Amino acid sequence: MILTIHGSIAIAIGLLLTVISLSGSALVFHQELDRAIHPSFMRVVPQAKLASLDEMIAPVQAAYPNFPLESIRFPQTPDGSYQITIKAQDGESLDTFVNPYTTKILGARKWDNSPIGFLYNFHYKLAIGQVGMVAVGITGLLFLLIVITGIILWSGWRKLKTGFTVRTTAPLPLLSYDIHQVGGILSSTFLLILAVTGAILSFLVLQSSFNQSPQLAKVLPPAKQPIALSELLRKADAAMPDGKTTYVVFDEHEPEKITVSKQLPHESIRFALSNVELNRYSGEVLTVNRVVEPPPMLKFMIAIGTIHFGLFGGIYSRILYVFIGLIPSVLLITGSVNWERRRWLKARRESTSQLRANQTESNRFS
């Protein structure tokens, strides 16, 4: 019964699970891969003088005069470019990359159309929106069942040595069986973690998207001019001097407000939660959100994300996760070989039994 559940679910979702895991394996180093794919966009030669933020935005607004600003991402190294995201006429986001020393536009791209953007969207929602997100979440839950039943079926429970033996000189079907069970049991802890955290993240993001209520954008008088961004950043730095600016976000629903995201010394760049909100037209500091201790739910989501993305052990855990992401592909191939072997053996036994029954019946009448 357990073997049937294990094999049937694995065959049913095996290909989908393999694609999800392979894309996840590639995304472990998605930032590094993105920079490697687009070096002309993201790498610059550092110079002595850094241009002001207003000087960097000016050529983007000149090139795309009717595209409102969405966000500005600050580089984390001196040789990085600024990413200024604007909203294109089709409603999609357009990332433009600017040299912070020369203010030259290095290039532009739509995230969803980029190789890493496609991988990212496919990994967590199969590139088909909320339906895909649900499918990924369900796949994670079914994968959890596959791993649990696989652990129960492990031959090492009967004899430990057998459970960790790979007969390298055995015929392919037996070799495949050994690789499947040894690889499965050695990676089972990590596969359980990825299955559980992946399913949780999918449903949390899905729930968040359902809870978002549509808002109407406010329209400001055309004569109203915002304060220079450089001045607003100085005010944000004064409000939170120990925070490193990572993003500036423009709210289309509240165009008079900008949010300056800050990374405090104790925060990771991936989970920087603190920010300063300002009025773009008066320069007034509206709120200072210093997040020293995240609320329980947010803390839980950060913990789940840290575990799922392999961030807990630095470069070493990320490298490990690359290989863990390859294992479902190996298990699918070896499992398919084992499944076919069992079907062949079952058919052979049934054929032999039928032949013997026919011979017995023939002998009775002879």
Side-chain angles (χ1 to χ4, degrees), residues 55-343:
E55 291 173 326
M56 292 182 222
I57 291 174
V60 176
Q61 291 180 318
Y64 306 97
N66 299 319
F67 293 14
L69 292 168
E70 284 192 342
S71 66
I72 303 170
R73 187 182 70 181
F74 287 53
Q76 300 305 306
T77 57
D79 65 344
S81 62
Y82 276 67
Q83 179 181 306
I84 300 173
T85 301
I86 54 181
K87 176 164 284 190
Q89 292 177 339
D90 58 6
E92 294 187 17
S93 297
L94 180 70
D95 300 330
T96 60
F97 298 88
V98 177
N99 187 317
Y101 304 100
T102 66
T103 71
K104 178 184 176 182
I105 297 178
L106 303 175
R109 61 111 187 259
K110 289 184 178 179
W111 166 251
D112 289 347
N113 295 339
S114 68
I116 302 301
F118 175 79
L119 274 177
Y120 184 79
N121 284 328
F122 192 89
H123 178 70
Y124 88 96
K125 60 181 180 181
L126 304 179
I128 56 175
Q130 292 181 340
V131 174
M133 206 179 300
V134 172
V136 170
I138 293 173
T139 301
L141 293 177
L142 292 175
F143 184 41
L144 177 62
L145 186 58
I146 292 173
V147 177
I148 292 173
T149 53
I151 293 173
I152 295 173
L153 293 169
W154 181 52
S155 63
W157 298 121
R158 297 186 295 274
K159 187 176 181 181
L160 188 62
K161 183 179 179 181
T162 304
F164 288 107
T165 299
V166 177
R167 293 165 287 185
T168 55
T169 58
L172 178 60
L174 294 179
L175 176 62
S176 177
Y177 172 79
D178 290 345
I179 293 174
H180 187 80
Q181 69 160 355
V182 174
I185 198 65
L186 290 177
S187 62
S188 59
T189 300
F190 292 102
L191 295 179
L192 281 171
I193 290 172
L194 289 176
V196 172
T197 55
I200 290 174
L201 285 174
S202 293
F203 288 114
L204 285 176
V205 173
L206 189 64
Q207 181 186 32
S208 175
S209 65
F210 280 140
N211 290 338
Q212 288 180 354
S213 56
Q215 293 178 297
L216 296 176
K218 296 180 181 178
V219 179
L220 293 175
K224 205 170 186 181
Q225 294 297 319
I227 294 175
L229 282 175
S230 302
E231 177 61 26
L232 293 173
L233 285 183
R234 281 193 288 270
K235 290 179 178 291
D237 291 340
M240 196 180 294
D242 57 337
K244 179 182 178 181
T245 300
T246 57
Y247 272 93
V248 173
V249 180
F250 303 84
D251 192 337
E252 65 174 322
H253 304 298
E254 297 184 67
E256 73 278 8
K257 184 180 75 174
I258 69 164
T259 302
V260 180
S261 295
K262 292 282 191 176
Q263 179 193 2
L264 296 179
H266 70 278
E267 292 181 311
S268 163
I269 181 62
R270 294 177 185 266
F271 301 111
L273 305 174
S274 302
N275 59 67
V276 178
E277 296 180 348
L278 305 99
N279 188 300
R280 293 180 64 191
Y281 299 92
S282 67
E284 177 189 0
V285 175
L286 303 175
T287 57
V288 178
N289 301 309
R290 179 183 293 275
V291 181
V292 177
E293 184 69 21
M297 187 60 186
L298 186 55
K299 198 171 184 179
F300 172 72
M301 291 184 68
I302 292 174
I304 292 296
T306 299
I307 295 171
H308 186 76
F309 302 137
L311 303 176
F312 52 87
I315 186 70
Y316 301 105
S317 59
R318 294 170 70 195
I319 292 174
L320 174 64
Y321 267 43
V322 170
F323 290 100
I324 294 297
L326 302 178
I327 288 177
S329 302
V330 176
L331 296 180
L332 174 63
I333 294 170
T334 55
S336 298
V337 172
N338 297 337
W339 187 262
E340 281 299 316
R341 178 172 176 267
R342 290 191 189 94
R343 289 181 58 188

